[in-house]
Amino acid sequence: MNHPLADELFLVGHDEYTGKPTGNADVLASALAGAVLGELLLDGRLTIVEGRVAVQAARAYGEKVTDAAMGEVCRQGDRLPVRHWVGYLRHDVRDVVARRLVATGLVRREQPRGLARRGQTRYPAYDPQRYAEPRRRLAQAMAGQGPVDAQLATLAALAGTAGLVADPARIRENLPWVLRDLVSGVDEAVRVQALATAV
């Protein structure tokens, strides 16, 4: 069973035993924000026109993660660039997506311990084999084995942006244009973020 795109990217980007990100947590947060937008694009609720996010179907679907993101797009007004939405959504996206995974029983939430309670909340797996399934599917896609649908191709492209896999140029080239625009916008947001932290 496939999980929503952002859930799959979360699982690919975290270690199933420690529950910690396997790469740069800030870059992963940007890719996760892109994955939430990707879910809305795959559902036909959003589209991208000339690099800007546009609403196609504003109704709520009863799904907390995408409904919350859709509500923000409707409140702030569409026609803002993808990089704007990635920058806006990235701050809370890890915990929002993790709550959805906790609700499915795939991960558990572990708070930092000790007096200072410093450190990041961790989300280790209840079942490491189920947790690793998106990573296995992604590895097969990267090796050119088996069918690659739009969600798996987007997962590969965003995982590449997050530095979790080598750049999947072959897969990226076959994305539908709207998802290619999404990934380009996430790439741009990551570059802007890197420049801001370098200053």
Side-chain angles (χ1 to χ4, degrees), residues 27-126:
V27 175
L28 177 58
S30 292
L32 279 170
V36 171
L37 294 172
E39 289 181 33
L40 290 163
L41 291 167
L42 288 164
D43 285 342
R45 297 167 70 188
L46 292 179
T47 190
I48 298 174
V49 179
E50 296 179 358
R52 296 176 181 274
V53 173
V55 173
Q56 282 199 194
R59 69 188 180 281
Y61 275 35
E63 196 290 300
K64 290 181 181 178
V65 174
T66 54
D67 282 355
M70 192 70 179
E72 290 300 323
V73 173
C74 291
R75 265 190 292 282
Q76 291 193 34
D78 61 1
R79 304 296 172 159
L80 291 168
V82 172
R83 74 173 182 279
H84 166 86
W85 290 112
V86 170
Y88 183 80
L89 296 173
R90 66 179 294 279
H91 300 290
D92 298 318
V93 73
R94 179 176 183 260
D95 289 332
V96 170
V97 172
R99 281 197 292 273
R100 184 166 66 182
L101 284 162
V102 168
T104 66
L106 198 55
V107 304
R108 64 183 181 277
R109 188 173 194 264
E110 291 185 356
Q111 287 286 97
R113 294 185 180 149
L115 292 175
R117 291 191 177 265
R118 291 191 184 134
Q120 201 170 45
T121 303
R122 299 182 306 134
Y123 296 98
Y126 278 115

Side-chain angles (χ1 to χ4, degrees), residues 138-161:
L138 180 58
Q140 288 177 332
M142 296 291 290
Q145 300 168 354
V148 178
D149 62 12
Q151 178 169 320
L152 184 54
T154 307
L155 174 64
L158 292 173
T161 294

